[in-house]
Amino acid sequence: VFQDLDAVPWATAEITELADRGILQGRTDGQFEPNATVTREEFIKMLVTAFEMTDTGANAAFYDVKEDHWCYPYIASAVKAGIVLGVSDNRFGAGENISRQDMAVMAMRTMQAIGMSLPTGDLLFEDAGEIASYASEAVSMLAAADVIRGTGGNQFQPNGIATRAEAAKIIYGLLKAAGR
């Protein structure tokens, strides 16, 4: 499907499967851009699409996401399901790249929204002390469920910006954990 997956052999099968299922799309014809960054709204679209959670009656009141914006139905659906709260009470953070720890939090909340519990475990990453308190449980649970892994050298890099390949790998892991 995509001509540019040679750089991410660790995620090629997952990206291809998710694209075949209509969950992921390329950015240009034949190009997935696996090492490009992911915005908060792009990741929410992936989650909502993967778990078929689009709710056309949902609403969101973020000043940076208007009702006519392409991502509004996905964000509103995610707000209604309790997956995302925004970066403040009235701002979603549209256009901002998503951190690895924020991606983990949204992934965990998605599993909770579908009624699935995940195992808990110890945070064994060398940089576990850098994981924000709001994200430590999510990272712990997703690591114990083998949905997320580190970036090498037993590092999680919680404040690192997630790539499209990393997001695909997590979405695939969530679907597998949920038996979908």
Side-chain angles (χ1 to χ4, degrees):
V1 175
F2 301 114
Q3 309 302 315
D4 61 347
L5 299 181
D6 289 344
V8 290
W10 51 270
T12 299
E14 291 84 350
I15 292 167
T16 302
E17 170 71 20
L18 294 176
D20 288 347
R21 293 172 65 175
I23 296 168
L24 298 180
Q25 299 172 342
R27 287 207 169 150
T28 60
D29 190 36
Q31 302 296 303
F32 181 70
E33 297 183 21
N35 292 315
T37 59
V38 178
T39 63
R40 292 172 53 81
E41 61 269 27
E42 288 171 331
F43 188 65
I44 286 297
K45 179 185 179 191
M46 292 177 198
L47 283 173
V48 169
T49 302
F51 287 92
E52 301 173 352
M53 301 175 83
T54 304
D55 182 340
T56 57
N59 294 300
F62 296 119
Y63 71 80
D64 59 340
V65 182
K66 304 294 184 212
E67 287 187 45
D68 61 349
H69 197 276
W70 69 266
C71 64
Y72 181 83
Y74 304 105
I75 293 170
S77 297
V79 167
K80 185 174 181 181
I83 296 169
V84 69
L85 306 173
V87 296
S88 71
D89 289 342
N90 61 355
R91 187 171 77 86
F92 174 74
E96 295 178 15
N97 291 323
I98 191 167
S99 70
R100 291 174 48 80
Q101 67 185 354
D102 285 353
M103 189 168 55
V105 170
M106 291 179 195
M108 181 192 72
R109 288 179 182 158
T110 299
M111 297 309 278
Q112 292 171 335
I114 65 167
M116 184 167 177
S117 60
L118 295 172
T120 57
D122 294 327
L123 282 172
L124 302 176
F125 296 110
E126 293 289 326
D127 58 352
E130 296 174 27
I131 299 171
S133 59
Y134 72 86
S136 62
E137 180 182 28
V139 173
S140 170
M141 292 173 88
L142 293 171
D146 201 30
V147 171
I148 60 170
R149 295 195 178 116
T151 59
N154 198 30
Q155 300 289 310
F156 180 68
Q157 295 183 351
N159 295 307
I161 302 302
T163 67
R164 290 173 50 82
E166 290 169 338
K169 191 85 170 169
I170 287 177
I171 300 283
Y172 184 86
L174 292 173
L175 288 167
K176 185 177 173 186
R180 297 182 181 196

